[in-house]
Amino acid sequence: MVKNLIFTVTISLLAIYLSGVIITESINPLDIAQSLKVRTMGISPNVPFYETSRYEVGHIFQPLHNYPEYAPITLEQAENAPYRRNSPTAEIKITTVGDNYQIKERWNYRRKPQYILLNEEQLVSLKSIENGNHFFVLDDNLRLQPVTIEEAIMLPNYIKVVKEMGKIISIEKKPLVSIFKQEYQYRALSGKRQFFKKIHFSIDKKSIFSSLFSEYNENGKVLYYITRDAKDNVISKEIINPEGSKYYSETTLFNAQGEKTNIIYNAINVKNKNEHLDQNGNILEVTYDNDQFIGSPDFEEDERYQTLEIDSSKKYNIVDNLDPET
């Protein structure tokens, strides 16, 4: 009787394991357990969901296997994402996993919210609103026009008004500062990250400002980063050096003609060594600089929203790590 029970349980576990292999194309039991965990959170392959912006202290970057760590959140929770100290913005993440239940792509919409004051005419127009969260845009005459939350989160600018117990408790403007998309590919058997791409889009998502592409070795360690501009020209290539090297990476910068202009040796505890090159690749001079950031500037805020008066009496509750709601 006991032997039959043990045999039955063993066969059942083996069946679950094999089904996990089929689902995830992985032979790693830990990956199968992770994929089953993701399924129990209500996440389905190729179905976008709102992802929390919370993260663990010291765990800012996703692990190499890149499974969602938390259950999906509601649109209302996503819109109410906390204000972060390390990047003074709030962001909405719309994420999709692939058939292997690992993150396939993620859209990030970053905003810089500010508490504002409205003029008397604008406040009068809010008298009839019910308790709850309300969303508006400004028309050409600076009058408030209502929009849905689904519309608001995709707009370059919107205003959020919160009313509780018959009283307006907060008014915010939420200008969009950047849109970028992350794309991931993984190795079929190990499930480790193989390629990563990050694309910065224009405010209407119709054109690309810049893109970053990286490749990883079989152990999941990054080999290089390539950054391209809006015309798909390579503007930088960073190669990661082996552990123990004097410099952890070397970054080569290129001009619009594809010529090398700089080779930067990136250090950890000291300033970077920057070799400035002429057209023939000869070193003109060497300087020692801090880290050079290559990225896209924040979007310009619409002038009609810039003119709104800031409410200096209200401050955001800045969050560094975990947030219980989002």
Side-chain angles (χ1 to χ4, degrees):
M1 182 72 176
V2 174
K3 288 184 179 180
N4 290 338
L5 179 60
I6 294 174
F7 178 78
T8 302
V9 172
T10 302
I11 293 298
S12 299
L13 291 174
L14 180 61
I16 294 173
Y17 176 83
L18 291 176
S19 65
V21 171
I22 294 171
I23 292 170
T24 65
E25 298 183 357
S26 171
I27 59 174
N28 187 334
L30 294 178
D31 288 342
I32 294 169
Q34 285 277 24
S35 66
L36 293 175
K37 176 184 175 182
V38 174
R39 292 173 66 187
T40 61
M41 292 192 296
I43 297 173
S44 300
N46 307 307
V47 179
F49 64 93
Y50 294 104
E51 184 185 11
T52 176
S53 61
R54 66 191 289 186
Y55 59 86
E56 303 281 357
V57 176
H59 191 190
I60 298 177
F61 301 102
Q62 289 281 355
L64 292 175
H65 288 69
N66 221 23
Y67 293 98
E69 297 184 85
Y70 305 102
I73 59 176
T74 65
L75 171 56
E76 289 73 19
Q77 288 174 314
E79 192 281 329
N80 198 38
Y83 194 99
R84 300 293 184 187
R85 185 188 303 276
N86 68 319
S87 175
T89 54
E91 66 180 353
I92 291 179
K93 297 181 180 181
I94 304 176
T95 303
T96 306
V97 300
D99 293 332
N100 56 3
Y101 289 90
Q102 293 172 280
I103 293 173
K104 180 173 70 174
E105 70 175 37
R106 177 191 288 119
W107 285 92
N108 293 63
Y109 296 83
R110 286 187 176 167
R111 296 183 180 271
K112 190 169 184 178
Q114 288 180 293
Y115 288 111
I116 57 171
L117 298 169
L118 297 179
N119 62 37
E120 185 175 349
E121 180 183 353
Q122 292 164 337
L123 289 173
V124 168
S125 69
L126 297 175
K127 280 189 175 181
S128 61
I129 64 173
E130 299 178 351
N131 291 331
N133 299 336
H134 302 268
F135 303 90
F136 302 90
V137 293
L138 293 174
D139 64 16
D140 293 338
N141 297 313
L142 301 184
R143 289 191 290 259
L144 296 173
Q145 302 297 324
V147 293
T148 66
I149 184 173
E150 291 84 1
E151 293 170 329
I153 64 169
M154 295 296 166
L155 293 172
N157 299 274
Y158 69 89
I159 292 171
K160 179 182 180 181
V161 178
V162 180
K163 188 174 185 179
E164 292 183 3
M165 300 181 68
K167 182 179 180 181
I168 293 176
I169 63 169
S170 70
I171 304 173
E172 299 172 274
K173 67 172 181 177
K174 291 197 167 185
L176 191 63
V177 296
S178 68
I179 302 172
F180 61 90
K181 181 184 180 184
Q182 298 165 316
E183 299 175 348
Y184 300 88
Q185 293 183 38
Y186 307 91
R187 297 186 184 276
L189 294 180
S190 69
K192 290 184 178 179
R193 192 181 303 174
Q194 185 174 12
F195 301 109
F196 169 72
K197 190 172 185 179
K198 182 177 181 180
I199 309 167
H200 279 263
F201 285 88
S202 61
I203 201 165
D204 59 5
K205 297 201 321 188
K206 292 183 179 180
S207 58
I208 294 174
F209 284 150
S210 66
S211 64
L212 179 146
F213 178 84
S214 61
E215 183 178 357
Y216 298 75
N217 65 19
E218 292 183 355
N219 295 321
K221 292 186 177 181
V222 67
L223 298 171
Y224 60 83
Y225 299 97
I226 295 177
T227 303
R228 297 177 180 271
D229 63 14
K231 296 181 179 179
D232 206 34
N233 297 316
V234 175
I235 56 177
S236 76
K237 182 172 183 179
E238 180 180 4
I239 298 175
I240 308 302
N241 293 328
E243 291 185 12
S245 302
K246 181 178 180 181
Y247 297 98
Y248 74 83
S249 70
E250 298 175 14
T251 302
T252 303
L253 305 183
F254 301 85
N255 60 20
Q257 289 72 44
E259 301 168 335
K260 297 179 181 179
T261 61
N262 301 74
I263 299 178
I264 303 171
Y265 297 87
N266 302 295
I268 297 177
N269 297 318
V270 295
K271 289 186 176 181
N272 299 333
K273 177 183 177 182
N274 188 344
E275 295 180 349
H276 302 257
L277 310 178
D278 63 17
Q279 291 182 340
N280 298 316
N282 300 312
I283 299 175
L284 294 173
E285 65 171 329
V286 177
T287 59
Y288 293 87
D289 310 319
N290 293 320
D291 290 340
Q292 295 195 15
F293 173 75
I294 300 174
S296 299
D298 289 346
F299 298 144
E300 289 285 341
E301 185 179 3
D302 191 303
E303 185 176 354
R304 70 187 74 183
Y305 293 89
Q306 289 182 10
T307 59
L308 294 169
E309 185 179 354
I310 303 301
D311 184 355
S312 57
S313 68
K314 291 184 178 293
K315 303 293 181 184
Y316 285 97
N317 179 25
I318 300 176
V319 175
D320 282 321
N321 44 53
L322 288 179
D323 181 86
E325 296 299 324
T326 61

